Amino acid sequence: MAQQGTLPLPLDPAERAAKLREHIREHDYRYYVLDDPIISDAEYDALVAELRALEAEHPELITPDSPTQRVSGAVAEGFAKVQHPQPILSLGNASDADDVRAWHERIRAYAEKNLPDLDLERLERFVVEPKIDGLTVVLTYESGVFARGATRGDGSVGEDITANLRTIRQLPLTLRREMLNGTVPTRLVVRGEAYMPVADFERMNQALREAGERPFANPRNAAAGSLRQLDPAVTAKRPLRLFCYAIVDYDGDVPAPTTQWETLHWLRQAGFPVSDLAQRFEALEAAIAYCESFIPRRDEMPFEIDGVVIKLDDLEAAAALGYVGKDPRGAIAYKFPPREATTRLRAVVVRIGRTGNVVPNAVLDPVQVGGITISNATLHNFDDIARKDIRLGDRVIVKRAGDVIPYVAGPVVSARTGEEQPILPPTECPYCATPLTRREGEVALYCLNPDCPGRADRAIEHFVGRSAMNIEGLGEKIVAQLIEAGLVNDVADLYYLKKEDLLGLERFAEKKAQNLLNAIEASKRQPLARLLVGLGIRHVGEVAARALAERFGSLDGLIEAATNHPEQLQDIEGVGPVIADSVREWACRESTRALIEKLKRAGVNPVQAARPLISEGPLTGKTFVITGTLSQPREAVAEWIAAHGGKVTDSVSKNTSYLVVGDSPGANKLTKARQLNIPILDEAGLRALVEPT
Ligand code: IVH
């Protein structure tokens, strides 16, 4: 088949429509399934436009599997019931490696007892696949053409969602006959999982919120909700994707695959999207190790997985083992701990953040989330509480993912009893009674007293944190312990701690005390930029801190300039008027002077060669903000930008020229950039500004 965007011209409209369809189908497969298109979007659009025109002129040529028919059909009144050809089974669960070993022992014992003819070696080969958290779909193909798609329902009867499934571009409307040696099964039923990638889910929820509609609780609900729309045009707009992993029913001249591994290969050939994370193993322990390798990678996956599935590779052996209830014996789900749970909101306490921002914190009935017990979670701010209508006494959904602080995502409105009470924002700081204020354009309330005792622990936590002085072994609990014992009131006090002080504390033995002192001592060698980040100067993030450190070389140099020549601050790449003002205000504060003297006396005084850093280049005059993970560390990208004359700042404003977006970008920066119509670039786009292609 020709692989280009243009077609030689058969004149017969029927032939031409068939050819166009064949080509479009191939390009869809390359684009949506292989992620490897070979023609431009414009060439592709031209093919589709031509087919549409042809079909408009000759409606009799329209076929149900035509790519123009993905969004078609009227709004349904409801969904018809569909009887599945085979029970759509579920899976038993394992929650750790021992559970998986026990499963394998069980099936071996079962086979020994009940299947004397089965060679036990056939139970020793496995396929491991990610368990995508979406919605099961059952897809029927008649003579190679997509005929019907259904939900799982109760496992024997599902709902007909054919029109909605058709809108998923990854779903083949026709099997790729040429890849199946020219023959397709007369009947094929495939099982898969429809899902929504996390980033798309977040974007969609944002759009729903902006439109005043109710957002979905998680990607799985979003996928399910989108597939249960009565109007396929709505489903078509939802970013749904598909993975297929099983043949449920097969009728054809060529025998069906007999192993799971071959099944995945066959499905891929036939045109179905198949996970490329699936792997085959010859030993259970290797399979288990692979399962566990997903746990730390869970947050980096573009889609939610709630576990992995281990399947016997030998499908005949698996079938012979049968099932218990709805769970086949031949496979098991290694489930990861859920990352959301519901519990009761008992109280709201206010904490003061590092910059004086007021953070409402939820006191919860203890609940397990993602493998740890949670009894506190952030409620972000009081506007958020009001917007989500969270009330005291509510059952609330608590979420956590990876390193993210647990947070209350929203109330379970249906569980309300009427006893719940509204949560009102405080008017004064609970620590120092300063009236709280709101800064223009921000949602947070602030306690503007820079010496508010409520801030001390947050300031210290920030100072010792990973992006600042990186003092290992000094977590939130120990900081609280040190403050409570009166040993530490500000960050400088850390450098005056003595071993005897620590040994007097609960749970501090010789070794732990010494390790902590060593870590504190080592932090004196951190570069100036980290110290500046640690001091928590408002608006000074990593980029600005590095720029200030490079320009002034020492704490004294910075303080001197900020007090006597504040105009010098603004000349620095990466420092705008807001940061400059904030640094000046900070430098002039009496408490800052005292703190810095105290740090210097303790030997915390990093010095580096000061160098003015202004290059001329193609990016001169351009201001960039970076969000998400790029191919290199952010500092390296920032340096590259600076070397070409541009500057990098921490937050998006109307002065930003471009937002550079990597993987897992921050939603706030993206939204802000869109609101301000700021051009958004990926890394290649950034490079192209310097070396146009
Ligand atoms: S196999 C007999 N494989 O997980 C076959 N299921 O608890 C049973 N799921 O609702 C299913 N990814 O929809 C299988 N790679 C995968 C899966 C998978 C997600 C879902 C499935 C089912 C649930 C089972």
Side-chain angles (χ1 to χ4, degrees), residues 90-91 129-132 136 191 193 245 309 311 328:
S90 180
L91 278 177
E129 299 165 19
K131 182 165 171 345
I132 296 115
T136 299
R191 177 168 177 174
E193 193 86 357
Y245 53 78
V309 189
K311 302 175 178 180

Side-chain angles (χ1 to χ4, degrees), residues 276-335:
D276 48 19
L277 294 169
Q279 277 197 28
R280 180 158 64 162
F281 296 92
E282 311 268 331
L284 184 65
E285 288 307 317
I288 290 175
Y290 185 59
C291 290
E292 296 191 324
S293 77
F294 279 88
I295 300 175
R297 288 190 286 159
R298 194 174 172 193
D299 292 321
E300 296 150 30
M301 300 268 173
F303 41 78
E304 288 268 14
I305 56 174
D306 59 345
V308 273
V309 189
I310 306 183
K311 302 175 178 180
L312 286 186
D313 188 32
D314 189 324
L315 294 176
E316 253 175 41
L321 287 168
Y323 43 92
V324 205
K326 285 189 168 176
D327 303 338
R329 289 196 177 84
I332 191 155
Y334 186 144
K335 290 262 262 191

Side-chain angles (χ1 to χ4, degrees), residues 1-2 7 10 12-29 44 46-70 145 169 172-176 178:
M1 160 192 303
L7 288 181
D12 170 8
E15 240 175 75
R16 181 139 185 93
K19 263 270 169 282
L20 280 165
R21 275 183 203 126
E22 193 185 314
H23 278 250
I24 293 169
R25 187 158 54 77
E26 187 63 22
H27 292 308
D28 276 347
Y29 176 70
Y44 174 85
L47 292 176
V48 177
E50 189 187 344
L51 178 61
R52 276 190 202 286
L54 202 58
E55 287 178 345
E57 210 176 310
H58 305 277
E60 73 282 1
L61 294 181
I62 299 177
T63 57
D65 66 336
S66 172
T68 60
Q69 302 302 300
R70 286 207 181 256
V145 177
R169 306 301 293 252
L173 295 176
T174 308
L175 301 185
R176 307 180 75 241
E178 64 283 6

Side-chain angles (χ1 to χ4, degrees), residues 28 98 135 143 151 155 240 327 520:
D28 276 347
D98 280 341
L135 185 79
S143 303
T151 62
L240 289 169
D327 303 338
I520 293 174

